[in-house]
Amino acid sequence: MDTDISKENRIHIISEGLATVKTSGKVFYNAVQEFNRDLSISVLTAFVKNYKTGKQKKERSPENKEVNIVLDSTKEINSIGVSCDNGITILEALSATGLRSIRYAKEVPGIKEIIANDISQKAVEDIKHNIIDNKVEGLVTASFNDAIMLLHQHKRQNRFDAIDLDPYGCPSIFLDSAVQTVKEGGLLLVTATDMAVLAGNSPETCYSKYGSISLRIKSCHEMALRILLQCIEAHANRYGRYIEPLLSISADFYIRVFVRVFDGAHKCKYTLSKLSFVYHCTGCGSFTLQPLGVVKRSEEKKNDKFCLPTNVPVDKKCEHCGQAYHLGGPIWSAPIQDKYFINEVLNNAPKHLKTTQRIHGVLSVMLEELDDVPLYYTLEKLSGTLHVETPPMLTIRSAILNAGYKVSYTHCNKGSIKTNAPSKVIWDIMRCWVTTHPVSKKRMIEGTPVYNILSKTSEREYSFEIHPDANPSSKKKGLVRFQANPLPFWGPGTRDTAMVGEDKLSKSRRNQGKRKREISEEDVVNEKDNM
């Protein structure tokens, strides 16, 4: 991204990918989200080649069998920068500068039309100029409208193949109209930047916005993804539709999910079995999932029976440390990645993208993730609970593999341990580690989690011998798996100020030190009164 600022006209010139746009400083633009835009271009490229050519035909049936779905039998579309009659239609509901839509037009093949919408008149004026400057008039149309109203206008006819929602903060207010307006098998691209809410800092706010209780746990970033997915599914189910996640990512200061939306009132009945409550121990961080529903297969009648769980999976106190539980959720507990599609993204990703290495690294980690194991532990939390020397990650992964269980990283956390091993096995492995790396006696205070956990003995000896599969392929290849802060003072930025009367920066400078000045003035008044 290159930015040039003309002092005379106060115009920002932004170059990213194959697009160059001009905008005033008041229209929202976040350079850090270049990775977000690059990944979206990669996903849309793979989506076009699969959705419009009928290549992505594999879907899991309720019986967990693969069945064929043919969405479109048109020939493969490779043209870029021109309108294709059989191409996809895209709505970017919250466009700001229009950069994302223009990049889609110039970098994604097989597009018929893109609507770049914004509620700010100033932003729409900039979008119109940028469309002309980038010579994409035949592909991109600027729209000045409320995003929700625009979506409702298209829900009966002229639906979109892909809808991109990248708001500042929570996307939930747009989801109801978006799930109605995307075509059968179409793609929703949804971003959420209100990570404090999703990561458990304000569970009551999370429930009001997403219909789920967030928890402050080490796996909060994956839980945030699963909260967003269940929210989208809840909105879709109201209209006899359901979602299939293709790719779900936690990156930088936001999460983003790419899901397909399908029709099927009967399929909506399976939603309960895809959602779970989370019991999280406040002492040791152990967690247990409670599915909202159970699907039982009848071999005689060759159909499925939908049941409710009949027991609670935990006691009142944690079996490991004796502490109480918090209850969170519901969350999406089915797989959040489609590994077939991720491979397609890797195979079709454009080579010119600036963040290609990061995309390749992160998606490679996703391919290694266990897709049937929701949430994860962290090495930091396991060691911190016991106040013990932190073991090497390779050692702990080897112990889990040597015990006959699966283990993987997750792209959400570089210290993550995602495994199908029961929590009892994890703590037994840590007990074995403590035998050669003892805990200080002053930490052994009766009633504390460390005391309660180490008061019990491991049921067996676990081997810490290095397992050949303990080191994942992505690490061996030296891929960029976990990104450091891309810029100084990076973050979600400030909200679009194009509709605000006073420039926020000017207001910020005016208010800087205001409290101190008020106190100083108060002291002067008090001093005069005492004279």
Side-chain angles (χ1 to χ4, degrees):
M1 187 277 297
D2 300 315
T3 305
D4 175 46
I5 303 177
S6 171
K7 293 182 180 179
E8 184 177 344
N9 298 316
R10 294 186 179 277
I11 296 295
H12 294 251
I13 301 175
I14 303 164
S15 295
E16 186 181 289
L18 302 183
T20 299
V21 298
K22 298 176 183 177
T23 180
S24 69
K26 291 183 178 181
V27 175
F28 183 78
Y29 167 74
N30 195 331
V32 175
Q33 283 203 328
E34 182 174 2
F35 172 72
N36 179 322
R37 290 181 281 270
D38 284 356
L39 179 62
S40 300
I41 286 168
S42 301
V43 168
L44 280 170
T45 300
F47 175 72
V48 168
K49 293 188 176 182
N50 285 267
Y51 174 61
K52 276 297 177 184
T53 62
K55 280 186 179 179
Q56 186 158 337
K57 300 176 183 179
K58 299 299 181 184
E59 182 198 39
R60 289 287 175 181
S61 69
E63 300 80 25
N64 205 32
K65 295 179 181 178
E66 287 188 343
V67 295
N68 288 336
I69 293 180
V70 179
L71 294 173
D72 200 319
S73 59
T74 55
K75 295 181 179 180
E76 186 173 357
I77 303 168
N78 288 314
S79 55
I80 300 177
V82 296
S83 179
C84 302
D85 291 337
N86 294 319
I88 65 170
T89 54
I90 302 174
L91 168 65
E92 187 192 2
L94 309 151
S95 294
T97 63
L99 173 63
R100 187 183 295 260
S101 290
I102 292 170
R103 287 197 63 190
Y104 287 169
K106 300 188 77 169
E107 300 175 48
V108 178
I111 292 178
K112 180 179 181 180
E113 182 186 17
I114 301 170
I115 294 180
N117 178 73
D118 205 278
I119 199 171
S120 162
Q121 181 68 61
K122 179 66 181 72
V124 174
E125 290 173 5
D126 285 347
I127 292 171
K128 289 179 179 178
H129 292 306
N130 290 326
I131 289 172
I132 295 171
D133 291 345
N134 284 272
K135 300 183 169 111
V136 290
E137 302 96 315
L139 275 173
V140 186
T141 303
S143 166
F144 173 47
N145 209 333
D146 176 86
I148 297 174
M149 292 302 297
L150 180 62
L151 285 164
H152 278 298
Q153 290 170 14
H154 286 263
K155 69 182 182 181
R156 298 299 178 198
Q157 55 184 1
N158 299 322
R159 287 180 171 184
F160 298 98
D161 296 291
I163 298 175
D164 195 323
L165 299 173
D166 192 359
Y168 185 95
C170 176
S172 61
I173 61 172
F174 306 104
L175 295 179
D176 192 78
S177 49
V179 296
Q180 298 180 72
T181 311
V182 67
K183 287 183 181 178
E184 162 74 3
L187 184 69
L188 283 184
L189 307 85
V190 185
T191 300
T193 64
D194 54 339
M195 291 305 296
V197 171
L198 285 164
N201 286 356
S202 184
E204 65 283 354
T205 304
C206 186
Y207 183 80
S208 67
K209 290 185 175 182
Y210 294 95
S212 178
I213 299 170
S214 58
L215 297 173
R216 293 188 68 178
I217 60 178
K218 287 300 180 179
S219 55
C220 60
H221 291 93
E222 183 180 322
M223 188 168 180
L225 286 168
R226 294 180 179 277
I227 286 173
L228 177 56
L229 287 172
Q230 73 81 30
C231 184
I232 300 172
E233 174 81 345
H235 284 283
N237 284 173
R238 292 165 192 157
Y239 304 100
R241 314 192 87 184
Y242 65 97
I243 67 167
E244 286 190 354
L246 297 181
L247 192 155
S248 308
I249 185 169
S250 170
D252 300 330
F253 54 84
Y254 60 89
I255 57 172
R256 186 158 170 86
V257 298
F258 303 84
V259 304
R260 294 181 74 181
V261 180
F262 294 94
D263 293 324
H266 179 70
K267 289 286 189 73
C268 293
K269 294 183 179 182
Y270 292 88
T271 294
L272 272 187
S273 61
K274 299 175 185 176
L275 304 178
S276 297
F277 287 113
V278 180
Y279 288 91
H280 175 252
C281 176
T282 57
C284 65
S286 300
F287 56 86
T288 303
L289 269 65
Q290 169 72 69
L292 271 65
V294 179
V295 178
K296 294 182 179 179
R297 179 68 176 170
S298 173
E299 295 299 333
E300 295 181 0
K301 297 183 179 180
K302 300 297 181 183
N303 62 0
D304 291 333
K305 184 178 180 181
F306 302 95
C307 309
L308 296 176
T310 55
N311 63 319
V312 178
V314 296
D315 295 326
K316 290 184 178 180
K317 300 290 184 180
C318 175
E319 63 175 312
H320 309 295
C321 71
Q323 305 300 308
Y325 284 101
H326 279 156
L327 179 64
I331 65 168
W332 179 271
S333 51
I336 63 174
Q337 317 289 5
D338 182 329
K339 293 186 177 180
Y340 170 85
F341 184 79
I342 292 175
N343 269 313
E344 290 294 301
V345 175
L346 285 170
N347 294 334
N348 292 287
K351 305 299 182 185
H352 69 276
L353 301 177
K354 190 175 179 180
T355 62
T356 296
Q357 286 188 338
R358 186 181 177 191
I359 290 173
H360 184 64
V362 173
L363 296 193
S364 296
V365 175
M366 288 180 180
L367 289 175
E368 296 169 347
E369 288 181 21
L370 298 176
D371 53 11
D372 56 349
V373 180
L375 308 182
Y376 54 88
Y377 300 93
T378 65
L379 196 54
E380 172 195 14
K381 177 62 177 176
L382 293 174
S383 303
T385 300
L386 299 182
H387 303 286
V388 69
E389 178 185 334
T390 304
M393 178 62 80
L394 205 61
T395 301
I396 291 298
R397 286 170 59 92
S398 294
I400 295 171
L401 290 168
N402 290 333
Y405 297 98
K406 299 177 182 179
V407 66
S408 76
Y409 283 100
T410 168
H411 76 279
C412 298
N413 190 310
K414 64 181 179 181
S416 57
I417 300 172
K418 182 181 278 286
T419 177
N420 64 341
S423 55
K424 182 174 182 3
V425 171
I426 298 300
W427 288 119
D428 275 354
I429 289 174
M430 293 303 295
R431 289 185 186 102
C432 291
W433 174 256
V434 169
T435 58
T436 55
H437 301 78
V439 175
S440 172
K441 290 183 179 180
K442 66 180 182 180
R443 297 290 189 184
M444 298 295 288
I445 302 171
E446 190 172 352
T448 61
V450 59
Y451 179 89
N452 292 337
I453 291 172
L454 296 183
S455 295
K456 303 170 185 176
T457 57
S458 175
E459 290 186 352
R460 54 169 282 194
E461 287 295 321
Y462 288 87
S463 171
F464 292 102
E465 183 180 349
I466 300 302
H467 192 281
D469 297 329
N471 202 12
S473 175
S474 60
K475 187 175 181 180
K476 290 178 182 177
K477 293 177 182 178
L479 301 179
V480 182
R481 302 183 303 152
F482 305 104
Q483 185 76 358
N485 291 356
L487 293 171
F489 310 110
W490 69 282
T494 55
R495 189 183 294 272
D496 179 6
T497 58
M499 297 182 64
V500 180
E502 181 179 8
D503 190 303
K504 281 195 174 182
L505 185 58
S506 302
K507 184 178 180 181
S508 176
R509 287 172 178 167
R510 176 169 57 80
N511 289 336
Q512 190 170 7
K514 180 180 178 182
R515 180 61 181 157
K516 289 183 179 179
R517 292 198 303 271
E518 288 175 348
I519 293 173
S520 298
E521 291 171 0
E522 197 174 300
D523 290 342
V524 171
V525 172
N526 291 336
E527 191 175 327
K528 288 181 178 179
D529 291 340
N530 294 330
M531 289 179 65

